[in-house]
């Protein structure tokens, strides 16, 4: 199941969605995050003594214990339909394996990121969703598993900056590095920007999707007259409108933008995704939540530009 995503070519702005069901309402999970699908067995769940809201307990999975979360409870959906065989969707992202209980699964759909519509923030708390997409007459809300995980296990999303990385080398001018940071999650943007600024990287411009970022880069650096040696693009991969791989592909194919150092900063970095990053000519990649590795990589760029 987890290898489905490799079928997608790099930089096509496509994703595959696993449609899961809660009370017969479909919700979408990015297939690239899905490791397997298991039948839910309440007897196999070890209840935690100090119960965490939304966490059912621990499951022995492939010789390791993983937390299992109730997606209906997390999304505040009252389950009124009984399913004979409930499902646990086992995911892997942010270097972490977790299970999410759902009522059932429907099928996998292939869609374009441009068809994913961000939710209107005025309708209430929409942080648990990346956006919505209309498929075969159904409006499917795409679940933001990173945000959900951040509310339950914050350390898995944003890593604290180490004291070692707070120390600045005299040759490094961190504040002179122009960082373009793109992530559709406001939680991630706020946390990562705060971490980078605490280390002295103060020149950060934020965007919430690849389309906005590409417009900014073309407008501000597209004439080929600017020095790009101190410009860095840090981009998530999963984003509505335009994903990070497609953004990187467009940047590297533009003769006036191709020298912008591009870092893919994603929870999806694995062997298959590294191959996709290389295919679109990304300069490097860092797995969330390894903020310290990101800072070390930025420091290498600062030293290089100062020499």
């Amino acid at each position: 199941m987890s290898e489905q995503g490799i079928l997608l070519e790099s930089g096509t702005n496509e994703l595959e969605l696993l449609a899961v069901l809660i009370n017969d309402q479909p919700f979408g999970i990015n297939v690239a995050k899905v490791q397997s699908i298991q039948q839910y067995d309440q007897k196999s769940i070890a209840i935690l003594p100090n119960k965490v809201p939304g966490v059912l307990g621990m499951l022995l999975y492939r010789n390791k214990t993983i937390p299992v979360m109730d997606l209906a409870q997390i999304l505040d959906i009252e389950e009124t339909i009984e399913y004979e065989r409930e499902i646990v969707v086992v995911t892997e992202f942010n270097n972490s394996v977790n299970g999410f209980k759902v009522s059932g699964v429907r099928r996998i759909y292939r869609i374009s990121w441009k068809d994913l519509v961000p939710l209107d923030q005025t309708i209430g708390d929409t942080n648990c969703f990346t956006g919505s997409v209309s498929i075969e007459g159904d409006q499917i809300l795409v679940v933001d598993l990173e945000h959900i995980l951040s509310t339950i296990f914050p350390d898995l999303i944003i890593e604290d900056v180490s004291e070692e990385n707070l120390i600045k080398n005299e040759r490094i001018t961190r504040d002179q590095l122009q960082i373009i940071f793109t992530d559709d999650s406001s939680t991630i943007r706020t946390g990562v920007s705060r971490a980078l600024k605490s280390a002295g990287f103060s020149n950060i411009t934020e965007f919430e999707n690849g389309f906005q970022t590409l417009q900014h880069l073309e407008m501000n650096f597209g004439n080929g007259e600017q020095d790009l040696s101190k410009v860095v693009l840090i981009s998530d991969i999963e984003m509505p409108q335009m994903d990070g791989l497609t953004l990187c592909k467009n940047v590297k194919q533009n003769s006036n933008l191709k020298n912008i150092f591009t870092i893919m900063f994603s929870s999806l970095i694995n062997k298959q995704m590294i191959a996709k990053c290389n295919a679109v000519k990304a300069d490097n990649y860092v797995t969330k939540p390894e903020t310290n590795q990101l800072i070390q990589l930025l420091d290498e760029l600062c030293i290089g530009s100062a020499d």
Side-chain angles (χ1 to χ4, degrees), residues 183-202:
D183 199 300
D184 65 305
S185 168
S186 60
T187 302
I188 299 297
R189 288 199 309 273
T190 300
V192 172
S193 292
R194 182 186 299 119
L196 293 180
K197 288 176 180 178
S198 73
F201 297 98
S202 58

Side-chain angles (χ1 to χ4, degrees), residues 13-276:
N13 210 36
E14 293 179 306
L15 79 153
E16 289 177 321
L17 280 182
L18 172 66
V20 302
L21 299 173
I22 300 176
N23 271 359
D24 273 352
Q25 180 179 349
F27 294 86
I29 295 176
N30 191 340
V31 169
K33 292 183 176 179
V34 177
Q35 191 175 95
S36 68
I37 295 175
Q38 311 282 321
Q39 184 175 347
Y40 175 69
D41 180 5
Q42 187 174 356
K43 296 179 181 178
S44 66
I45 303 296
I47 307 300
L48 297 172
N50 298 318
K51 192 171 182 181
V52 179
V55 179
L56 296 171
M58 304 299 291
L59 171 68
L60 182 61
Y61 172 77
R62 297 182 182 178
N63 297 319
K64 66 182 295 187
T65 55
I66 66 171
V68 176
M69 287 153 274
D70 188 336
L71 198 55
Q73 183 179 341
I74 291 170
L75 299 179
D76 196 23
I77 298 174
E78 183 181 358
E79 295 183 273
T80 58
I81 301 175
E82 290 189 11
Y83 284 77
E84 184 178 345
R85 300 179 65 181
E86 294 181 299
I87 298 296
V88 174
V89 179
V90 180
T91 65
E92 183 175 15
F93 59 97
N94 285 98
N95 286 331
S96 174
V97 179
N98 300 276
F100 293 88
K101 183 176 82 72
V102 296
S103 302
V105 296
R106 180 180 290 178
R107 55 164 289 189
I108 293 174
Y109 298 97
R110 180 174 292 192
I111 68 168
S112 171
W113 279 107
K114 68 180 181 181
D115 296 328
L116 189 64
V117 181
L119 299 183
D120 188 346
Q121 299 294 322
T122 62
I123 64 176
D125 185 3
T126 60
N127 289 327
C128 287
F129 305 105
T130 304
S132 69
V133 61
S134 180
I135 303 177
E136 297 180 353
D138 284 324
Q139 200 69 19
I140 298 179
L141 295 174
V142 180
V143 182
D144 188 342
L145 295 180
E146 283 184 68
H147 175 77
I148 289 174
L149 210 59
S150 74
T151 62
I152 300 174
F153 308 113
D155 291 343
L156 292 179
I157 301 300
I158 300 297
E159 183 181 59
D160 290 335
V161 179
S162 66
E163 291 187 13
E164 178 184 357
N165 281 326
L166 291 175
I167 300 173
K168 304 175 185 178
N169 188 307
E170 289 182 356
R171 294 184 301 164
I172 297 173
T173 56
R174 293 179 173 179
D175 61 329
Q176 293 182 11
L177 203 64
Q178 296 185 62
I179 298 175
I180 313 298
F181 179 42
T182 305
D183 199 300
D184 65 305
S185 168
S186 60
T187 302
I188 299 297
R189 288 199 309 273
T190 300
V192 172
S193 292
R194 182 186 299 119
L196 293 180
K197 288 176 180 178
S198 73
F201 297 98
S202 58
N203 192 349
I204 303 175
T205 305
E206 301 177 17
F207 296 96
E208 61 185 31
N209 64 61
F211 180 73
Q212 292 177 351
T213 306
L214 185 60
Q215 284 187 317
H216 171 81
L217 293 176
E218 289 175 340
M219 182 178 298
N220 290 276
F221 305 103
N223 58 14
E225 297 177 357
Q226 291 82 1
D227 176 13
L228 302 180
S229 64
K230 295 181 180 180
V231 180
V232 181
L233 170 61
I234 303 173
S235 178
D236 185 24
I237 290 178
E238 297 179 282
M239 294 181 292
Q241 305 301 307
M242 180 184 288
D243 70 5
L245 293 174
T246 305
L247 169 62
C248 181
K249 182 178 181 179
N250 277 274
V251 168
K252 293 303 181 179
Q253 288 181 344
N254 186 314
S255 59
N256 291 331
L257 301 177
K258 64 181 181 180
N259 291 328
I260 294 177
F261 196 91
T262 303
I263 303 170
M264 308 311 297
F265 185 56
S266 170
S267 64
L268 297 176
I269 300 299
N270 53 31
K271 183 177 180 181
Q272 291 80 16
M273 193 56 70
I274 289 173
K276 292 185 178 185

